[in-house]
């Protein structure tokens, strides 16, 4: 016991010396306190305030859980995670950070020892010897039903090593992912390191997870024990956190095409989530310097991960009391000192995994020397170059004399910018929520059993996810999906009643009303359509009037399948806030979506949308996303509102109101036209149908042909034109 206490005393003394050594290297310049406070405020004004950081984290964790449950509902046992700046909240609009997404399929069992073998699994044994670079592994393929190595090449992803071992090649794994997705119609991939992505501004990594303890992680935990950071609770959580093998080899390795890189992403996320606001802002400033200043010398050779690693080392070696608002520029100087030290040594170690040089394959010796010269100059000048950071208008924000001018110029800042970012995050969350919902519906429609039975199973599985969840974000995600699928179930049941020519009674109508709050308009418009189709015209009018009242000028249309130019421009969301005092519900309106199973709740004209192709060749032309929704009817909310008003007032015999609805509809189409609608061809088809019902076949033909100019194939207008031509010819 005495020896143990003596060891702890020595460790504490050495830690204290390290703090003193790092902090005594430089004296704090007099103007740093004022500059620190200005920079702190400038970052708040640039969308890096505490509330915005937390909002980003909440949103991406919610998205993570939605996507995980969606995979499960589609029959995939896949884990998925959002990593990087967006999910950490360590970004600003000007940094334009990508979204980092990692998936891991549970059908793969990664073995650290032979004892880890599991029957019926895709077993892969981790191989590492003296010739393998640190952090890198080879994966030997092991048979699924006997614990023996595979001896033949049974898959395009496999290669044979000189020793005869059959390996799962990282490069071929990525090629397989690329080929499979391209075959689905997703187009060309963007490859970046371990990422193979078909989505702009996304890095998507298909990885394998390791649930067994690893010596690299245990060594790091042992190294960190007794230090003020990372805290003990974090180290305990890190001990049981899964790591990942991502498909990326070492640039200088003979087996770089076969190697997989060990990646402790979840531990790194824990470390990032332990940062206080000064540490978060210091990291953001480092990234601003990287992108604004370092990029002029080394291009994109210094990455956000380099900056993150520098932050980890600096926090570990700096006393916690220094990480406060008025010291921001000083701790930034300490970070640059750490970077300068590593540049002089020619190596930047990985914070967790020993023996790795993060400069390898990224920053050449020549670029290291150039960057070192610049950092020396930057530090000698007491960081005056931060006044040259143009991103997020930081340079102007730092100069007090320019602050008033910036505000007058209409710059988004402070609380107003935070609220704009909050709306943007909500928009993207709802957009991404609707996409997996559609995929799940399509999968159930495509299966052999009845859709109603499948839907009940989906809802039951969602409830199981809710009951089995151990954290609030996961439960919230499950409830969100339950709400949407429950609304769909009610609509399908109502369609079934109407098909049997039963009138919807009060009980059915009351059930519908519980699911009207998905957004401003779409669920209510479906309810109005249901009422209209069941003959409740007066009730339908009341619902439509309610939608018209809710659909104010600041409501933004949202589509999961088509995005308009400028859809995610932050200024669009800022404009939504101006003059809008109603914050009771998110100001978004989904497109109205009817499956074929809901056809008796939809106007007859939408049946053509569900059968929009004339030939099978048109179906073959559909891309991956279109294949999931073009067998249904999809229409922008506001045009559908006007169309439903036209139909319903006709049913009530209120001719003046019917014509007024048609005039408003036509004015909306002619002003907005196809550039501001997600489904312009469908809206034009509905307007053309109004003219057709008026007996004005020339007017109907005008709008149907306009619709075809928007989209020639996979457009119900082809059917409408044929019908109109027959009517005209008599």
């Amino acid at each position: 016991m005495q020896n143990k206490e003596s060891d702890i005393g020595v460790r504490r003394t050495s830690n204290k010396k390290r703090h003193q050594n790092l902090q005594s290297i430089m004296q704090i310049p007099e103007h740093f306190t004022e500059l620190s406070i200005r920079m702190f405020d400038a970052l708040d004004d640039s969308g890096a305030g505490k509330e915005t950081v937390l909002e980003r984290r909440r949103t991406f964790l919610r998205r993570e859980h939605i996507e995980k449950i969606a995979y499960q509902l589609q029959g995939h046992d896949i884990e998925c995670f959002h990593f990087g700046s967006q999910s950490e909240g360590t970004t600003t609009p000007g940094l334009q950070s990508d979204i980092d997404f990692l998936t891991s399929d549970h059908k793969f069992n990664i073995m650290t020892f032979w004892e880890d073998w599991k029957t019926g699994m895709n077993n892969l044994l981790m191989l590492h010897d003296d010739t393998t670079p640190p952090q890198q592994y080879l994966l030997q393929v092991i048979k699924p039903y006997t614990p023996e190595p595979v001896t033949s090449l049974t898959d395009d992803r496999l290669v044979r090593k000189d020793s005869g071992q059959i390996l799962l090649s990282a490069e071929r794994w990525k090629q397989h992912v690329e080929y499979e997705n391209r075959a689905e119609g997703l187009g060309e991939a963007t490859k970046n390191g371990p990422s193979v992505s078909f989505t702009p501004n996304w890095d998507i990594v298909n990885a394998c997870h390791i649930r067994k303890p690893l010596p690299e992680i245990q060594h790091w935990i042992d190294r960190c024990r007794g230090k003020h950071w990372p805290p003990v609770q974090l180290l305990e959580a890190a001990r049981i956190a899964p790591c990942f093998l991502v498909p990326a080899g070492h640039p200088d390795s003979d087996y770089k095409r076969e190697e997989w890189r060990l990646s402790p992403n979840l531990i790194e996320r824990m470390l990032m989530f332990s940062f206080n606001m000064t540490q978060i802002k210091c990291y953001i400033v480092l990234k601003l310097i990287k992108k604004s200043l370092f990029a002029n010398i080394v291009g994109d050779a210094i990455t956000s991960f380099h900056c993150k690693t520098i932050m980890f080392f600096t926090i570990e070696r700096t006393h916690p009391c220094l990480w406060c608002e008025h010291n921001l520029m000083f701790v930034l100087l300490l970070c640059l000192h750490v970077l300068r030290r590593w540049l002089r040594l020619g190596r930047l170690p990985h914070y967790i995994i020993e023996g790795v040089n993060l400069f390898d394959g990224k920053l050449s010796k020549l670029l290291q020397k150039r960057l070192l010269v610049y950092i020396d100059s930057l530090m000698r000048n007491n960081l005056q170059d931060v006044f040259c950071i143009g991103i997020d208008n930081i340079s102007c924000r730092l100069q007090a004399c320019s602050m008033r001018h910036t505000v007058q110029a209409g710059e988004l800042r402070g609380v107003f910018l935070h609220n704009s970012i909050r709306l943007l995050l909500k928009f993207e969350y709802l957009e991404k929520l609707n996409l997996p919902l559609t995929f799940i519906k399509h999968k159930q429609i495509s299966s052999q059993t009845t859709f109603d039975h499948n839907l009940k199973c989906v809802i039951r599985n969602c409830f199981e996810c809710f009951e089995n969840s151990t954290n609030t974000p996961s439960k919230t995600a499950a409830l969100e999906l339950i709400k949407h699928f429950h609304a769909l179930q009610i609509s399908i049941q109502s369609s079934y009643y109407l098909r049997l020519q039963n009138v919807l009674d009060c009980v059915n109508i009351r059930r519908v009303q519980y699911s009207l709050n998905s957004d401003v308009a779409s669920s209510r418009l479906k309810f109005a359509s249901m009422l209209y189709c069941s003959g409740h015209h007066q009730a339908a009018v009341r619902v439509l009037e309610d939608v018209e009242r809710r659909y104010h000028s600041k409501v933004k249309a949202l589509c999961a399948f088509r995005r308009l130019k400028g859809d995610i421009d932050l200024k669009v969301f800022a404009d939504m806030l101006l003059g809008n005092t109603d914050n009771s519900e998110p100001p978004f309106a989904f497109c109205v979506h009817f499956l074929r199973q809901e056809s008796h709740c939809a106007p007859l004209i939408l049946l053509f949308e569900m059968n929009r192709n004339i030939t099978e060749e048109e179906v073959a032309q559909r891309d991956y996303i279109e294949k999931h929704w073009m067998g249904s009817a999809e229409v922008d909310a506001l045009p559908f509102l006007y169309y439903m008003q036209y139909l319903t007032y006709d049913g009530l015999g209120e001719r003046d109101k019917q014509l007024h609805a048609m005039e408003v509809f036509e004015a909306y189409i002619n002003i907005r036209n196809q550039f501001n609608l997600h489904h312009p061809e469908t809206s034009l088809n509905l307007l053309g149908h109004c003219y057709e019902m008026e007996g004005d076949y020339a007017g109907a033909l005008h709008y149907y042909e306009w619709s075809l100019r928007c989209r020639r194939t996979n457009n119900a207008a082809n059917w409408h034109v044929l019908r109109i031509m027959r009517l005209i010819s008599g």
Side-chain angles (χ1 to χ4, degrees), residues 353-550:
I353 301 170
E354 199 170 53
V356 178
N357 182 3
L358 295 177
F359 289 153
D360 285 348
K362 289 286 185 182
L363 199 67
S364 67
K365 293 294 182 183
L366 177 62
L367 290 181
Q368 288 176 38
K369 289 177 181 177
R370 287 180 182 173
L371 186 58
L372 181 57
V373 169
Y374 176 70
I375 289 174
D376 277 334
S377 169
L378 181 65
M379 294 175 70
R380 274 197 311 272
N381 294 331
N382 288 329
L383 308 182
Q384 287 302 298
D385 282 9
V386 297
F387 287 95
C388 300
I389 297 175
I391 298 172
D392 292 306
N393 214 16
I394 292 292
S395 57
C396 288
R397 294 185 196 277
L398 286 176
Q399 299 175 53
C401 60
S402 299
M403 290 294 253
R404 183 174 297 174
H405 169 74
T406 302
V407 176
Q408 288 176 347
E411 186 77 24
L412 298 181
R413 63 193 294 270
V415 175
F416 191 59
L417 177 57
H418 161 70
N419 289 331
S420 302
I421 293 171
R422 178 179 53 80
L423 275 182
L424 169 60
L425 290 169
K426 183 68 175 178
F427 176 85
E428 291 185 315
Y429 167 74
L430 292 171
E431 196 177 48
K432 293 303 174 187
L433 168 66
N434 276 281
L435 202 55
L437 284 171
T438 303
F439 288 170
I440 294 163
K441 292 173 193 173
H442 182 266
K443 185 175 178 63
Q444 307 314 319
I445 291 169
S446 305
S447 68
Q448 297 301 312
T449 53
T450 65
F451 183 75
D452 188 51
H453 171 75
N454 290 343
L455 187 57
K456 287 176 182 175
C457 290
V458 165
I459 293 172
R460 186 168 62 249
N461 291 338
C462 282
F463 272 111
E464 286 178 7
C465 289
F466 175 79
E467 289 165 358
N468 296 332
S469 297
T470 56
N471 57 69
T472 302
S474 186
K475 285 184 179 291
T476 304
L479 283 174
E480 187 91 47
L481 291 168
I482 289 167
K483 180 177 74 174
H484 283 272
F485 286 121
H486 182 63
L488 177 62
Q489 185 183 41
I490 293 168
S491 182
I492 289 171
Q493 288 173 350
S494 300
S495 180
Y496 176 72
Y497 293 145
L498 293 173
R499 182 168 69 85
L500 298 177
Q501 297 184 339
N502 293 331
V503 177
L504 290 181
D505 56 22
C506 294
V507 174
N508 286 319
I509 291 172
R510 225 176 0 253
R511 289 176 67 206
V512 176
Q513 290 173 324
Y514 288 121
S515 54
L516 293 181
N517 62 345
S518 63
D519 65 318
V520 167
S522 70
S523 52
R524 292 177 174 87
L525 287 171
K526 289 184 76 169
F527 183 36
S529 179
M530 189 187 301
L531 291 169
Y532 169 78
C533 291
S534 63
H536 295 295
H537 293 167
Q538 199 64 57
V541 163
R542 286 198 295 272
V543 175
L544 292 170
E545 287 172 347
D546 179 51
V547 173
E548 192 168 26
R549 179 182 59 79
R550 292 171 182 274

Side-chain angles (χ1 to χ4, degrees), residues 3-199:
N3 288 339
K4 187 176 179 182
E5 286 179 356
S6 175
D7 288 344
I8 292 170
V10 170
R11 196 181 298 136
R12 283 178 179 161
T13 303
S14 65
N15 284 342
K16 188 175 180 182
K17 284 181 179 177
R18 184 156 54 244
H19 295 324
Q20 289 171 345
N21 289 340
L22 190 55
Q23 292 152 33
S24 62
I25 292 165
M26 298 156 287
Q27 294 297 316
I28 302 178
E30 288 183 11
H31 70 283
F32 262 30
T33 300
E34 183 188 348
L35 183 56
S36 295
I37 293 168
R38 256 198 249 171
M39 179 64 84
F40 215 87
D41 292 341
L43 291 169
D44 276 346
D45 277 349
S46 302
K50 184 176 181 179
E51 288 305 315
T52 308
V53 170
L54 295 177
E55 189 73 41
R56 286 189 189 278
R57 289 182 181 179
R58 281 192 296 266
T59 300
F60 277 93
L61 285 175
R62 201 180 307 133
R63 284 172 62 163
E64 195 174 282
H65 288 292
I66 286 279
E67 283 148 352
K68 180 183 176 183
I69 296 171
Y71 274 125
Q72 291 175 5
L73 295 177
Q74 293 176 79
H76 305 299
D77 191 8
I78 290 176
E79 292 267 10
C80 56
F81 302 91
H82 279 290
F83 294 120
S85 302
Q86 292 281 4
S87 60
E88 295 160 0
T90 56
T91 188
T92 64
L95 281 171
Q96 299 178 333
S97 302
D98 287 344
I99 293 172
D100 297 324
F101 189 61
L102 182 145
T103 65
S104 174
D105 198 325
H106 282 268
K107 68 186 178 186
F108 291 96
N109 174 45
I110 303 298
M111 303 162 53
T112 52
F113 301 101
W114 279 98
E115 291 78 10
D116 298 335
W117 179 86
K118 290 182 181 178
T119 184
M121 299 284 286
N122 292 310
N123 292 289
L124 298 165
L125 177 64
M126 296 170 67
L127 301 179
H128 187 97
D129 58 28
D130 293 340
T131 65
T132 314
Q135 197 182 6
Q136 303 297 143
Y137 283 90
L138 297 173
L139 292 179
Q140 183 180 8
V141 186
I142 310 300
K143 291 180 180 179
Y145 295 105
T146 55
E148 299 171 338
V150 167
T151 55
S152 57
L153 298 172
T154 56
D155 190 305
D156 288 343
R157 292 170 290 182
L158 308 185
V159 295
R160 191 186 302 275
K161 198 181 177 191
D162 294 341
S163 59
Q165 295 162 309
I166 302 298
L167 306 177
L168 177 64
S169 164
E171 191 61 34
R172 292 197 178 189
W173 167 280
K174 288 188 289 185
Q175 289 170 358
H176 180 76
V177 170
E178 183 181 4
Y179 172 78
E180 277 198 331
N181 284 280
R182 194 188 294 127
E184 290 279 5
L186 288 179
E188 290 301 312
T190 301
K191 289 177 277 190
N192 179 27
S195 166
V196 180
S197 175
F198 291 82
T199 307

Side-chain angles (χ1 to χ4, degrees), residues 134-378:
Q135 197 182 6
Q136 303 297 143
Y137 283 90
L138 297 173
L139 292 179
Q140 183 180 8
V141 186
I142 310 300
K143 291 180 180 179
Y145 295 105
T146 55
E148 299 171 338
V150 167
T151 55
S152 57
L153 298 172
T154 56
D155 190 305
D156 288 343
R157 292 170 290 182
L158 308 185
V159 295
R160 191 186 302 275
K161 198 181 177 191
D162 294 341
S163 59
Q165 295 162 309
I166 302 298
L167 306 177
L168 177 64
S169 164
E171 191 61 34
R172 292 197 178 189
W173 167 280
K174 288 188 289 185
Q175 289 170 358
H176 180 76
V177 170
E178 183 181 4
Y179 172 78
E180 277 198 331
N181 284 280
R182 194 188 294 127
E184 290 279 5
L186 288 179
E188 290 301 312
T190 301
K191 289 177 277 190
N192 179 27
S195 166
V196 180
S197 175
F198 291 82
T199 307
N201 305 317
W202 280 56
D203 281 337
I204 301 175
V205 176
N206 290 265
C208 299
H209 64 273
I210 313 164
R211 298 206 176 272
K212 300 294 180 181
L214 294 168
E216 294 96 332
I217 305 303
Q218 189 56 52
H219 179 79
W220 170 72
I221 291 170
D222 293 341
R223 179 177 73 78
C224 290
R225 290 199 188 280
K227 297 180 180 179
H228 72 92
W229 190 88
V232 174
Q233 301 94 321
L234 192 154
L235 295 176
E236 288 303 307
R239 190 172 53 81
I240 58 172
C243 288
F244 302 96
L245 288 171
V246 301
H250 191 280
D252 300 326
S253 172
D254 292 337
Y255 289 98
K256 63 183 175 186
R257 293 177 61 83
E258 285 69 53
E259 284 172 357
W260 295 71
R261 187 170 72 212
L262 178 62
S263 185
N265 302 73
L266 282 170
I267 298 174
E268 288 159 4
R269 182 159 82 177
M270 291 178 202
L271 292 169
M272 292 303 302
F273 280 15
S274 76
F275 280 18
N276 66 26
M277 277 311 299
T278 302
Q279 290 160 346
I280 287 169
K281 291 190 176 185
C282 183
Y283 176 45
I284 291 172
V285 177
L286 264 183
K287 290 198 289 185
L288 289 167
I289 289 172
K290 167 190 80 75
K291 192 165 183 176
S292 282
L293 307 178
F294 291 175
N296 298 329
I297 298 149
V298 298
D300 59 358
I302 291 289
T303 67
S304 293
F305 191 72
H306 290 134
C307 296
K308 187 181 293 187
T309 303
I310 291 158
M311 284 296 303
F312 292 158
F313 279 116
T314 309
I315 293 170
E316 180 192 288
R317 299 172 183 197
T318 309
H319 197 281
C321 70
L322 274 178
W323 293 95
C324 54
E325 179 179 346
H326 64 268
N327 278 339
L328 177 58
M329 299 310 291
F330 179 65
V331 291
L332 176 62
L333 203 60
L334 293 180
C335 290
L336 292 172
H337 172 78
V338 169
L339 175 56
R340 183 173 66 175
R341 177 171 175 262
W342 296 127
L343 285 168
R344 283 173 176 168
L345 293 173
R347 59 186 301 273
L348 174 59
H350 193 288
Y351 180 65
I352 295 172
I353 301 170
E354 199 170 53
V356 178
N357 182 3
L358 295 177
F359 289 153
D360 285 348
K362 289 286 185 182
L363 199 67
S364 67
K365 293 294 182 183
L366 177 62
L367 290 181
Q368 288 176 38
K369 289 177 181 177
R370 287 180 182 173
L371 186 58
L372 181 57
V373 169
Y374 176 70
I375 289 174
D376 277 334
S377 169
L378 181 65

